[in-house]
Amino acid sequence: MEMMESGVPLCHSCGESVGLGSNGEVFVACHECNFPMCRSCFEFELKDGRKVCLRCGAPYDESLALADDELKTSGNHMTMASHLQNDGEGGLHTRNVSSLSAMDSELNGETGNPIWKNRVESWKEKKNKKKTATNKSKKEVESPEIPPEQQMEEKQSPETVDSFSRTIPIPSNKITPYRCVIIIRLIILGLFFHYRITNPVDSAYGLWLTSIICEIWFAVSWVLDQFPKWSPINRETYIDKLSSRYEREGEPSELAAVDFFVSTVDPLKEPPLITANTVLSILAVDYPVDKVSCYLSDDGSAMLTFESLAETSEFARKWVPFCKKFSIEPRAPEFYFSQKIDYLKDKIQPSFVKERRAMKRDYEEYKVRINALVAKAQKTPDEGWTMQDGTSWPGNNPRDHPGMIQVFLGHSGSQDMEGNELPRLVYVSREKRPGYQHNKKAGAMNALVRVSAVLTNAPYILNLDCDHYVNNSKAVRHAMCFMMDPQVGRDLCYVQFPQRFDGIDRSDRYANRNIVFFDVNMKGLDGIQGPMYVGTGCVFNRQALYGYGPPSLPSLPKAASSCSWCGCCCCCCPSKKPTKDISELYKDAKRDDLNAAIFNLTEIDNYDDYERSLLISQMSFEKSFGLSTVFIESTLMENGGVPDSVNPSTLIKEAIHVISCGYEEKTEWGKELGWIYGSVTEDILSGFKMHCRGWRSIYCMPLRPAFKGSAPINLSDRLHQVLRWALGSVEIFLSRHCPLWYGFGGGRLKWLQRLAYINTIVYPFTSLPLIAYCSLPAICLLTGKFIIPTLSNLASVWFLGLFISIILTSVLELRWSGVAIEDLWRNEQFWVIGGVSAHLFAVFQGFLKMGAGVDTNFTVTAKAADDLEFGDLYLFKWTTLLIPPTTLLVVNMVGVVAGFSDALNSGYEAWGPLFGKVFFAFWVILHLYPFLKGLMGRQNRTPTIVILWSVLLASIFSLLWVKVDPFLSNTDSKIAPNCISIDC
């Protein structure tokens, strides 16, 4: 604090004070622009090969770096403890040392595991060899191209020189009016609520109070949804620039390897043909084959999935070379051959028609074989399934079976029909035993993380659902434009692609495409800290999944650092307590959940052998990653690859070990590492944890959609899908990871990003005020009362201003996002439909599950449709989720009839008040109209059960209306008791 008061700036990279130079003055790394950087970060930049200023591109003065003899103490080994203690004096940083315990030093003695010691020694030896080779190559090899450093010395912008992507802000003529209307709407909302609260309706106080509570909640929901869209952006990638940098002619490709994850559970509900198309599209992706590995997780241990994958691997030998030879899109055969386009467009090779015809014939034969397997699997034999060699299938009991791994392609020289290498294809089914918690999809994904780390260990992971195929063969290259970008990729945890869908009706009756979310909300988040992880179509940095913090992670809060500061106020003075030892530092660091990451990988190279062995102790890793030295060693390889010290013949055995059902016990898997457990929407939770650690994500929207999938188009299936998402949000809300209170200590999650996550977990609770608000019109029509008093001229202005601001906000949002007005309207309609049905059930089921331990089992949504196009759309499937919206429809219709009947009997003066009530009721009916069409079916014929519901509810509310508000007027009601005949 004293240094800050004296004018010494903070380092732009680590947040610490830049300190003083050897001349006693403030240390300056760049004399051109005075870019604030401390000596430690400056030396790290030089060691990493970056010898020019990040801001202005001017070359650094390397004479400022300390000599090697000055970096060492007088003949003594500088330990990790001394590094940490020197931090208070402007020395090294104390970022992410939360796994450092007092026991670690003891584990480096004679009692240590000799196998582990050998692993650490081999890793350190490889690191030294790699550094030596890198230094030699820099001195001996001269690139014919102009190095980026020289280009930057010529005062060119680093973004224009090195970046493979470009951020395109929304034009000011579109975004500025949008922001102004948001502020105006916020002001009008305040004036509106002032009027509503100060003008109660005494004759209908209960209705008025209910409406006020509902409207306040809707306003809060709007704020949570609107303000994260304050700074939307677009992005553009340059894959040609990426190729010219990492794929030079005559040299091996330097593109990073990618492991693809595909997950499936039940092949009878997730057809093997759809899963096979996803796998084939991955194997044929436009990327170096030695850099691609596809892992299929079969969490149902189905022999049908295994056999269909074996057939798929054989067909891939024909399909992959065909795709690459003729550059076809998409590279999923089912969707390629079903395209209703001119397939000869842009094709110039005469053999294309002949080979396409032959390939289509081969695919039809392949489909017949797959369908035969499916037909055979419809009835399970009493003795269980038997493999071709006569042995029993190990996965006959899906809840009790050993781990299974089979490498189909990319092993032992498997090649395609033209003799070219094929990507690796691996079947994985993790072990399951009774009494173990398997954590559903999140557990399966974490098993894939460990298996892939042992077998291939690509630095990047791309996960897809079994029904999401690669629609753009260059999708991985688009992602690498960000991941491998020297400017952008450093702090990037994942690149999220939007979800696009096939097989949806043109009108998108139930908003299955989610256009508003993917094209509006996600673009807005990309301008803050990045989009949320939505479960599929996402490329991960493997190190982020391991719980590490980003390289530019800011230092710990002062309460958890080596310097003791009193309180959190910036005006406090530093306390003069003695420097803490390592055990105290560890305890302080553990106070912050966000620093459960093991340590910052970029700092490993800054320590000598003794300090590195202190960090990489057996206990500190095994208590987090589990008891696999091969896997632990792979986590230390920031650039991926299988460790040289590993015996290839033992890899499969080790891979089986890391997917055993007890491997995750007493580890950090699912808590701080990998996909996070505790919610059925593990995707939202996992992305939230990464953002809390300081990572950022990026939204990539290439012109040709990267991936496409199938969505449930039936009303009941769609509601069950939404129910699952909403239940996951409620679970997060009731967990320790709730964004309302989690992650404030580190200060790494931006406020607008937090608002977006809060909106994600509280939106199901909107169902309670929504269903009450949708019931108010019917109650008002039946009782003759209203929630709004007689409007004055000023009040009319506030109401009119509110409606106009709502419309303007939507119009301007459509203008900058490019979303069609029909998509916005469908989204609004289904917000009401889902809110009064699926979201309502999710709230109650969430509290039952978290409070009473009553778990709800979900069935996987069927992906296959009927033979007729959109046949499933018109299929009626009864479910309890249909009861609340059906009731609201009937009640409001009865209310409208009752309102008009009352107006006809009351005279012309009753028509004015009726207008507002009927408008209110029609607003509800109009939003529920797609739901009504879903009940009617294809033949516009209402199912019997809906007729029964309608008659029953109409009778009840008609009788209620007659009881509450009979046909008699107030004056007649006083005379009526005395009447004894009709002439009185």
Side-chain angles (χ1 to χ4, degrees):
M1 187 64 65
E2 293 172 351
M3 296 179 69
M4 291 178 63
E5 291 175 354
S6 63
V8 178
L10 298 180
C11 176
H12 181 77
S13 298
C14 66
E16 298 291 337
S17 172
V18 298
L20 303 178
S22 57
N23 56 0
E25 298 179 356
V26 177
F27 178 78
V28 178
C30 176
H31 292 283
E32 293 289 334
C33 64
N34 294 326
F35 183 60
M37 181 181 294
C38 67
R39 185 184 299 277
S40 300
C41 292
F42 174 68
E43 292 167 359
F44 176 78
E45 292 289 317
L46 293 179
K47 184 183 297 185
D48 205 38
R50 291 186 286 271
K51 300 182 180 181
V52 293
C53 178
L54 296 176
R55 175 182 291 176
C56 67
Y60 287 134
D61 183 3
E62 299 186 29
S63 63
L64 295 174
L66 292 176
D68 291 340
D69 56 340
E70 294 177 348
L71 292 175
K72 300 178 181 178
T73 58
S74 56
N76 295 329
H77 222 49
M78 185 173 277
T79 64
M80 181 66 187
S82 64
H83 276 280
L84 296 177
Q85 292 167 0
N86 289 341
D87 180 66
E89 303 172 1
L92 293 181
H93 312 168
T94 60
R95 300 180 294 190
N96 274 21
V97 292
S98 60
S99 67
L100 187 61
S101 67
M103 299 174 59
D104 292 345
S105 57
E106 300 174 3
L107 294 168
N108 289 279
E110 298 178 355
T111 59
N113 187 339
I115 299 178
W116 171 255
K117 289 182 179 179
N118 292 336
R119 295 291 184 198
V120 175
E121 290 300 324
S122 65
W123 176 80
K124 291 191 289 187
E125 182 180 355
K126 181 186 176 185
K127 278 290 201 181
N128 294 332
K129 289 181 179 179
K130 186 175 180 181
K131 288 181 180 180
T132 305
T134 302
N135 293 334
K136 288 183 178 179
S137 62
K138 286 183 179 179
K139 294 179 181 179
E140 298 174 0
V141 180
E142 293 292 336
S143 175
E145 298 182 2
I146 300 176
E149 289 83 358
Q150 294 183 16
Q151 298 179 14
M152 293 172 70
E153 287 177 0
E154 297 173 3
K155 303 295 184 180
Q156 297 183 24
S157 171
E159 286 77 4
T160 59
V161 174
D162 293 331
S163 186
F164 307 129
S165 62
R166 180 168 67 99
T167 300
I168 307 175
I170 304 297
S172 58
N173 62 341
K174 293 182 179 180
I175 196 66
T176 302
Y178 176 67
R179 292 171 176 171
C180 291
V181 170
I182 292 175
I183 299 301
I184 293 172
R185 180 174 173 181
L186 196 63
I187 296 172
I188 294 176
L189 266 176
L191 297 172
F192 170 80
F193 281 118
H194 178 267
Y195 167 78
R196 292 283 283 127
I197 295 173
T198 56
N199 290 272
V201 182
D202 296 329
S203 60
Y205 191 82
L207 297 178
W208 168 82
L209 184 60
T210 302
S211 66
I212 288 293
I213 295 173
C214 295
E215 288 164 3
I216 291 175
W217 180 268
F218 295 150
V220 172
S221 299
W222 172 76
V223 170
L224 293 176
D225 179 69
Q226 189 69 66
F227 279 90
K229 297 182 283 190
W230 185 262
S231 302
I233 60 172
N234 294 309
R235 295 184 185 272
E236 186 178 18
T237 54
Y238 306 118
I239 57 177
D240 294 337
K241 204 171 184 180
L242 178 77
S243 298
S244 64
R245 172 76 176 273
Y246 293 107
E247 293 183 299
R248 295 187 175 94
E249 187 176 356
E251 298 180 9
S253 173
E254 296 180 1
L255 290 173
V258 180
D259 288 337
F260 286 77
F261 291 175
V262 180
S263 57
T264 183
V265 179
D266 188 349
L268 298 180
K269 295 180 179 178
E270 299 168 321
L273 189 61
I274 292 181
T275 304
N277 271 270
T278 299
V279 171
L280 289 168
S281 69
I282 292 173
L283 298 178
V285 73
D286 182 9
Y287 208 70
V289 291
D290 59 320
K291 307 288 186 179
V292 175
S293 301
C294 179
Y295 293 84
L296 177 70
S297 170
D298 177 19
D299 220 31
S301 66
M303 187 174 173
L304 171 59
T305 302
F306 180 84
E307 290 185 335
S308 64
L309 197 62
E311 289 285 353
T312 301
S313 65
E314 287 299 314
F315 179 70
R317 300 178 63 201
K318 303 176 183 178
W319 175 251
V320 172
F322 171 75
C323 292
K324 295 188 175 181
K325 181 178 180 180
F326 299 108
S327 301
I328 68 168
E329 296 282 4
R331 299 188 176 182
E334 182 70 23
F335 301 96
Y336 169 69
F337 290 121
S338 62
Q339 288 183 115
K340 297 178 181 179
I341 61 171
D342 180 14
Y343 63 84
L344 296 177
K345 186 178 180 181
D346 299 329
K347 296 296 183 293
I348 58 176
Q349 299 188 40
S351 61
F352 171 69
V353 175
K354 180 180 178 180
E355 293 191 33
R356 184 185 186 276
R357 187 180 297 116
M359 182 55 61
K360 187 173 183 179
R361 182 172 60 251
D362 289 339
Y363 178 64
E364 294 297 333
E365 294 174 357
Y366 162 75
K367 286 175 65 176
V368 171
R369 295 194 296 271
I370 295 295
N371 291 333
L373 293 174
V374 174
K376 177 183 175 182
Q378 296 298 318
K379 185 177 180 181
T380 305
D382 295 335
E383 65 279 6
W385 297 108
T386 304
M387 295 187 290
Q388 293 182 356
D389 60 358
T391 59
S392 178
W393 171 247
N396 276 322
N397 186 348
R399 299 182 179 180
D400 187 3
H401 65 84
M404 296 178 284
I405 296 178
Q406 175 66 47
V407 181
F408 284 104
L409 296 175
H411 185 64
S412 66
S414 298
Q415 297 176 335
D416 61 25
M417 299 298 291
E418 297 182 358
N420 300 316
E421 184 183 356
L422 285 169
R424 185 183 296 249
L425 177 61
V426 185
Y427 170 88
V428 179
S429 182
R430 57 180 173 145
E431 181 186 18
K432 288 190 175 181
R433 300 298 181 192
Y436 287 92
Q437 177 59 258
H438 301 295
N439 298 297
K440 300 180 180 177
K441 182 181 177 181
M445 298 303 292
N446 285 338
L448 286 184
V449 171
R450 298 191 293 272
V451 167
S452 63
V454 171
L455 297 181
T456 52
N457 196 33
Y460 301 108
I461 293 171
L462 196 161
N463 84 291
L464 293 172
D465 287 343
C466 64
D467 62 325
H468 273 71
Y469 64 92
V470 181
N471 183 64
N472 185 342
S473 61
K474 298 183 184 296
V476 184
R477 295 179 180 269
H478 285 288
M480 291 301 111
C481 285
F482 299 107
M483 287 295 191
M484 301 185 70
D485 192 306
Q487 303 294 331
V488 179
R490 196 179 180 195
D491 297 336
L492 193 56
C493 56
Y494 61 81
V495 175
Q496 178 67 61
F497 291 88
Q499 292 186 22
R500 300 293 188 236
F501 301 97
D502 290 316
I504 296 177
D505 57 301
R506 184 176 300 176
S507 64
D508 194 13
R509 180 185 294 180
Y510 306 123
N512 288 279
R513 292 189 176 92
N514 285 326
I515 293 293
V516 173
F517 174 75
F518 287 113
D519 287 22
V520 180
N521 295 64
M522 297 286 268
K523 280 185 181 180
L525 290 176
D526 199 14
I528 310 172
Q529 199 171 343
M532 300 174 183
Y533 168 43
V534 294
T536 183
C538 187
V539 181
F540 285 96
N541 181 340
R542 187 183 284 268
Q543 299 299 326
L545 286 172
Y546 288 157
Y548 295 120
S552 62
L553 189 68
S555 58
L556 293 177
K558 293 302 179 183
S561 66
S562 59
C563 295
S564 299
W565 299 77
C566 54
C568 300
C569 181
C570 61
C571 61
C572 294
C573 297
S575 60
K576 301 297 181 181
K577 295 181 180 179
T579 308
K580 298 181 180 180
D581 58 20
I582 296 179
S583 61
E584 290 176 335
L585 284 172
Y586 172 71
K587 293 177 182 178
D588 286 344
K590 289 297 284 184
R591 285 164 49 190
D592 188 358
D593 285 342
L594 305 182
N595 291 287
I598 295 195
F599 49 83
N600 199 334
L601 282 181
T602 59
E603 295 185 350
I604 298 179
D605 293 334
N606 294 341
Y607 305 136
D608 58 22
D609 293 345
Y610 177 79
E611 293 153 0
R612 191 179 297 119
S613 63
L614 180 63
L615 277 174
I616 311 170
S617 65
Q618 179 181 357
M619 181 62 71
S620 64
F621 270 83
E622 290 185 352
K623 69 184 179 183
S624 297
F625 289 114
L627 302 175
S628 171
T629 55
V630 176
F631 171 71
I632 292 173
E633 189 174 354
S634 72
T635 65
L636 303 175
M637 307 184 69
E638 190 173 6
N639 296 320
V642 179
D644 294 339
S645 59
V646 176
N647 185 357
S649 62
T650 64
L651 287 181
I652 293 295
K653 182 179 179 180
E654 194 69 25
I656 291 290
H657 169 58
V658 298
I659 60 171
S660 59
C661 56
Y663 183 84
E664 295 183 355
E665 288 192 337
K666 298 181 180 180
T667 67
E668 295 296 327
W669 284 103
K671 302 172 186 175
E672 302 295 339
L673 310 180
W675 272 258
I676 306 301
Y677 304 150
S679 171
V680 293
T681 53
E682 70 288 329
D683 46 4
I684 298 293
L685 190 53
S686 302
F688 173 64
K689 290 279 284 188
M690 294 181 195
H691 283 138
C692 283
R693 292 191 181 107
W695 294 95
R696 73 150 293 134
S697 57
I698 275 180
Y699 199 47
C700 182
M701 299 180 66
L703 293 178
R704 179 179 180 86
F707 310 102
K708 279 191 174 182
S710 57
I713 60 174
N714 178 265
L715 175 60
S716 301
D717 291 339
R718 170 69 166 146
L719 289 177
H720 274 285
Q721 181 190 58
V722 174
L723 171 63
R724 180 183 179 278
W725 295 342
L727 178 59
S729 295
V730 175
E731 289 173 340
I732 297 174
F733 177 82
L734 298 174
S735 72
R736 74 182 185 93
H737 290 117
C738 178
L740 286 169
W741 50 74
Y742 180 83
F744 281 95
R748 299 164 194 159
L749 187 68
K750 296 185 178 180
W751 277 100
L752 289 180
Q753 192 82 11
R754 184 178 297 279
L755 285 183
Y757 275 111
I758 291 174
N759 183 49
T760 302
I761 57 104
V762 302
Y763 79 88
F765 296 95
T766 306
S767 59
L768 300 174
L770 184 61
I771 200 167
Y773 209 69
C774 290
S775 303
L776 287 178
I779 298 175
C780 291
L781 286 166
L782 289 170
T783 59
K785 300 175 181 179
F786 201 37
I787 59 176
I788 300 173
T790 304
L791 295 179
S792 63
N793 292 335
L794 183 60
S796 302
V797 171
W798 300 141
F799 275 86
L800 185 62
L802 182 61
F803 281 114
I804 293 176
S805 65
I806 292 173
I807 295 172
L808 279 178
T809 305
S810 301
V811 170
L812 293 174
E813 202 166 83
L814 298 178
R815 188 165 173 253
W816 66 254
S817 66
V819 174
I821 190 171
E822 182 181 9
D823 293 319
L824 183 68
W825 173 236
R826 292 299 186 199
N827 180 79
E828 191 74 18
Q829 286 180 310
F830 197 78
W831 174 73
V832 176
I833 295 171
V836 299
S837 56
H839 297 173
L840 183 68
F841 278 75
V843 171
F844 289 107
Q845 291 184 5
F847 277 98
L848 283 175
K849 181 177 180 179
M850 304 302 290
V854 180
D855 197 359
T856 304
N857 294 322
F858 290 97
T859 56
V860 181
T861 304
K863 305 296 183 184
D866 298 338
D867 293 335
L868 292 174
E869 187 177 16
F870 310 130
D872 202 38
L873 175 67
Y874 307 103
L875 183 64
F876 182 82
K877 299 179 182 179
W878 178 254
T879 172
T880 51
L881 295 179
L882 303 179
I883 295 177
T886 303
T887 304
L888 284 175
L889 269 172
V890 174
V891 166
N892 278 278
M893 289 179 179
V894 170
V896 171
V897 173
F900 277 103
S901 300
D902 184 54
L904 289 172
N905 285 276
S906 301
Y908 69 91
E909 67 276 358
W911 288 95
L914 177 67
F915 174 76
K917 303 173 187 177
V918 171
F919 175 81
F920 199 5
F922 271 114
W923 179 89
V924 176
I925 296 172
L926 199 60
H927 278 76
L928 294 175
Y929 178 68
F931 176 83
L932 180 61
K933 290 185 69 175
L935 295 182
M936 302 295 284
R938 175 187 287 275
Q939 295 79 19
N940 293 329
R941 184 168 51 86
T942 307
T944 304
I945 193 165
V946 177
I947 296 176
L948 293 176
W949 265 99
S950 303
V951 171
L952 176 63
L953 292 173
S955 302
I956 292 174
F957 282 96
S958 296
L959 293 173
L960 177 64
W961 170 67
V962 171
K963 177 68 176 177
V964 173
D965 192 12
F967 287 99
L968 299 175
S969 64
N970 292 334
T971 55
D972 292 339
S973 61
K974 298 178 181 179
I975 304 174
N978 298 324
C979 293
I980 56 175
S981 69
I982 195 169
D983 295 329
C984 69

